[in-house]
Amino acid sequence: MQFFRSLFSNLRIADIIDIIVVAAVFYKLFKLIRETRAEQLTKGIFALFIFAEVSGLLKLYTINWILKSAMTVGVIAILIVFQPELRRGLEYIGRSRFFTKSFLEIKGESLSRTVDEIVEACASLSRQRIGALIVLERQTGLNEVVETGTKINGEVSSNLLINIFIPNTPLHDGAVIIKEDMVKAAACFLPLTENINLSKELGTRHRAALGISERSDSLSIIVSEETGAISIAENGTIARHLDSQTLKQILTDMYKPKDSQEAFIIKWRRKDEQGEE
């Protein structure tokens, strides 16, 4: 009891604020790495710390020296190993409303026209079973991806998108990058997902769409060449077999102010589950 009295008697308001801030930071970090490969790596690092302490207590000097030496250079190793997660975390901070305005400010007729053109193009490509991959840029810039393709900087239109993906044309093989109501580039190369648990049915387009969604906040639309099915990828998650009406609703919601947005795939799945009930 005397210990607790002494502890709370010396506790300042600044100490309470300090504890709350640290707890909030650790909570946010936990949410960022949860259900990612970083979670397993973090467990491994904690295990190394425990083994180092135990080896010291048991006077296993060689093992203790190896573990201590490994942790000395561990900071650099962590920066290398956690590079995707660190980038994701910094982008998350940069996308917060404290630093930026709401995503996209296309309104009224311009918004409706852009959505209609994209949906019309996807529906046409789906009917013809022409493969397509369209990436909608949001807060995270995709200039490094744009540089891998052919710059277009043209207004979004269904005819333009359809013509890009016509087989055996110069720009059909790759992804189209759209920012707001402009097609920035075509025939762009995307990083493939590192998720090894994906269905074998998913081809290169789907894996590329998931890959770019894991590294940015973009929304990707995929049209399957084999089945004509329309899918979307967001935050490393994919939703398949969408109809034109659902795709239109998702794209319309995407342009809403951030406060009224929800993860589109989660929202779509929730509606789908309610429909099945």
Side-chain angles (χ1 to χ4, degrees), residues 107-253:
K107 296 181 180 179
E109 294 181 1
S110 178
L111 163 61
S112 179
R113 188 199 65 79
T114 300
V115 170
D116 288 342
E117 295 291 336
I118 295 174
V119 172
E120 183 180 343
C122 292
S124 177
L125 293 167
S126 175
R127 287 193 300 270
Q128 300 176 69
R129 294 197 176 183
I130 296 175
L133 176 53
I134 301 171
V135 180
L136 304 179
E137 180 179 325
R138 297 165 71 184
Q139 290 289 346
T140 303
L142 299 177
N143 284 339
E144 70 275 15
V145 176
V146 170
E147 294 296 330
T148 66
T150 301
K151 292 184 180 179
I152 294 178
N153 292 322
E155 191 174 23
V156 172
S157 71
S158 59
N159 289 333
L160 174 60
L161 294 173
I162 292 170
N163 282 322
I164 287 173
F165 291 110
I166 292 296
N168 302 319
T169 56
L171 302 179
H172 86 283
D173 192 14
V176 165
I177 309 298
I178 294 178
K179 182 176 182 180
E180 300 183 358
D181 58 348
M182 300 292 289
V183 177
K184 296 183 68 176
C188 297
F189 294 97
L190 303 182
L192 299 181
T193 180
E194 298 177 359
N195 189 340
I196 61 175
N197 299 317
L198 289 178
S199 169
K200 300 296 184 182
E201 298 178 4
L202 299 180
T204 304
R205 284 192 180 88
H206 293 82
R207 294 175 183 275
L210 284 168
I212 193 64
S213 74
E214 290 169 350
R215 292 164 173 78
S216 70
D217 63 341
S218 62
L219 178 73
S220 300
I221 307 171
I222 315 102
V223 179
S224 172
E225 186 175 356
E226 289 76 20
T227 65
I230 300 174
S231 307
I232 60 170
E234 182 196 29
N235 293 331
T237 310
I238 192 167
R240 305 173 64 190
H241 304 292
L242 306 181
D243 57 27
S244 297
Q245 190 61 39
T246 303
L247 178 61
K248 182 176 181 178
Q249 186 60 54
I250 289 172
L251 296 181
T252 302
D253 290 346

Side-chain angles (χ1 to χ4, degrees), residues 45 48-53 64-76:
I45 291 171
L48 281 178
F49 276 109
I50 293 172
F51 290 150
E53 293 300 321
N64 184 259
W65 178 82
I66 292 173
L67 293 174
K68 292 286 187 181
S69 299
M71 287 187 288
T72 301
V73 297
V75 175
I76 298 175

Side-chain angles (χ1 to χ4, degrees), residues 1-11:
M1 290 297 294
Q2 186 65 32
F3 169 76
F4 287 107
R5 285 176 188 162
S6 175
L7 177 65
F8 286 109
S9 64
N10 296 323
L11 194 64

